[in-house]
Amino acid sequence: MKQDLPVHDADLGHISPRDKAELLSQALPYIRKYHGKTIVIKYGGNAMTDPALQQDFAEDVVLLKLVGLNPVVVHGGGPQIEDALNKLGKKGHFIQGMRVTDEETMSVVEWVLAGEVQQDIVGLINVAGGKAVGLTGRDGGMIRAKKLKLIDKDDPTKEHDVGSVGDIVAIDPSVVKALQDDQFIPVISPIGFGESNESYNINADVVAGKLAEVLKAEKLVLLTNTPGVLDKQGNLLTDLSAREIDELFADGTLSGGMLPKIASALDAARSGVKAVHIIDGRVPHAMLLEILSEKAYGTMIRSH
């Protein structure tokens, strides 16, 4: 609910009609530039768990669709999966940041992601005036996967078994394109299927990145719990090229939880997605501001 937000974020009454008109006119060149283009959004972090930010996100997605862009949402759900496993008395176990997913855990992952989490997002977007449709990688044969081989970070000859965690073999985007053509907003759970009809849990950042590639998306937007990519002094780096990212890896500026996100972002940028935005999902309407204004609300990685 809006009253949970700080007054300056929630109340626009102090802005004069002329200034409001100015704000809208500033968005016009961006609306014109991105009209008809696909934007893949990875939805996660605080933006996904804070009720006020959830509502902001849904409104932003609907607005982007109404002004002629084609948003596609890919969502995670780590905290919700953890909660469900705790209720069942099952402890989450991780190897190198990857959730070990046995058969029982996989069934929990499926009903949390493709059930509870996905339907919450679909409902929020529909209430905000959009037409959202929930999908998993099984729908339309979208995400074919195989078992992920996790190589030990210290010993490349050693391999870890993390269970039903998947690696993408191929993505068929036909069902997503069909929905877009009919003015629907696809909301995708990162679950793929294997040759024997087995289910695989896939990292949502990876799914969003690969989907952006095959859809030839104009932008990939990753919502995170950080302001973006920071230098060693903690300053936000707002505009980076793929080469500059490589340098940040080499000198150790980039590490930890940012690594998988940046790796997906970099793959997408190198594979034809024109710009990847890593933005702070804790800022109300950050996604809208990043896409439709000049001000930077995160880090943009350019493909060239």
Side-chain angles (χ1 to χ4, degrees):
M1 294 299 144
K2 294 289 181 197
Q3 62 265 30
D4 295 338
L5 294 175
V7 170
H8 64 273
D9 286 324
D11 179 18
L12 298 179
H14 63 287
I15 300 177
S16 73
R18 184 171 178 168
D19 286 342
K20 283 180 187 169
E22 183 65 28
L23 285 169
L24 289 170
S25 68
Q26 280 178 17
L28 186 59
Y30 297 95
I31 292 170
R32 192 184 294 126
K33 184 178 179 182
Y34 302 133
H35 192 276
K37 302 283 173 59
T38 293
I39 292 183
V40 176
I41 303 152
K42 156 58 192 342
Y43 180 43
N46 277 45
M48 206 173 153
T49 52
D50 177 304
L53 293 172
Q54 286 174 347
Q55 194 177 327
D56 287 343
F57 173 80
E59 288 167 2
D60 289 359
V61 168
V62 172
L63 193 132
L64 289 173
K65 187 71 175 176
L66 290 174
V67 298
L69 286 74
N70 279 322
V72 175
V73 179
V74 177
H75 67 86
Q80 293 90 334
I81 292 167
E82 205 59 41
D83 284 351
L85 289 171
N86 287 340
K87 282 174 189 164
L88 294 171
K90 203 166 167 60
K91 190 90 185 80
H93 179 46
F94 293 82
I95 298 175
Q96 293 178 197
M98 201 73 75
R99 182 188 297 279
V100 177
T101 309
D102 59 22
E103 210 170 300
E104 189 184 15
T105 302
M106 188 62 219
S107 62
V108 172
V109 166
E110 280 198 272
W111 65 253
V112 171
L113 290 182
E116 178 193 345
V117 174
Q118 185 194 82
Q119 290 309 302
D120 276 352
I121 301 165
V122 166
L124 282 163
I125 292 172
N126 291 346
V127 166
K131 294 200 298 180
V133 175
L135 300 168
T136 75
R138 287 182 169 281
D139 293 301
M142 187 180 10
I143 306 173
R144 293 185 176 274
K146 63 181 181 184
K147 187 179 172 72
L148 178 80
K149 292 182 176 177
L150 186 64
I151 306 298
D152 189 271
K153 63 181 188 329
D154 302 317
D155 178 2
T157 62
K158 191 177 168 193
E159 203 176 280
H160 297 284
D161 186 352
V162 284
S164 302
V165 176
D167 210 354
I168 296 171
V169 172
I171 291 187
D172 178 348
S174 330
V175 65
V176 174
K177 287 179 177 171
L179 288 168
Q180 284 181 318
D181 292 344
D182 276 342
Q183 298 307 304
F184 290 103
I185 298 167
V187 175
I188 299 162
S189 303
I191 294 165
F193 67 99
E195 282 184 352
S196 305
N197 196 31
E198 70 275 30
S199 292
Y200 287 108
N201 180 21
I202 307 171
N203 180 293
D205 293 315
V206 173
V207 171
K210 291 288 180 206
L211 196 59
E213 287 172 32
V214 298
L215 287 170
K216 297 184 170 50
E218 181 76 13
K219 291 180 180 292
L220 167 63
V221 178
L222 303 169
L223 288 169
T224 67
N225 282 346
T226 64
V229 178
L230 306 176
D231 66 16
K232 284 186 171 170
Q233 285 70 48
N235 302 310
L236 178 65
L237 300 168
T238 57
D239 193 357
L240 293 168
S241 66
R243 186 179 53 77
E244 289 167 323
I245 290 278
D246 286 336
E247 288 165 8
L248 293 172
F249 271 122
D251 73 7
T253 303
L254 287 174
S255 59
M258 235 357 173
L259 288 175
K261 272 199 178 16
I262 297 283
S264 299
L266 213 46
D267 283 348
R270 286 187 171 130
S271 305
V273 178
K274 291 200 177 122
V276 182
H277 300 261
I278 297 172
I279 62 173
D280 195 342
R282 300 166 300 181
V283 176
H285 299 294
M287 180 171 69
L288 209 56
L289 294 162
E290 177 77 17
I291 295 169
L292 299 181
S293 79
E294 282 178 27
K295 190 152 170 44
Y297 282 83
T299 300
M300 180 171 81
I301 300 167
R302 288 168 285 114
S303 56
H304 301 298

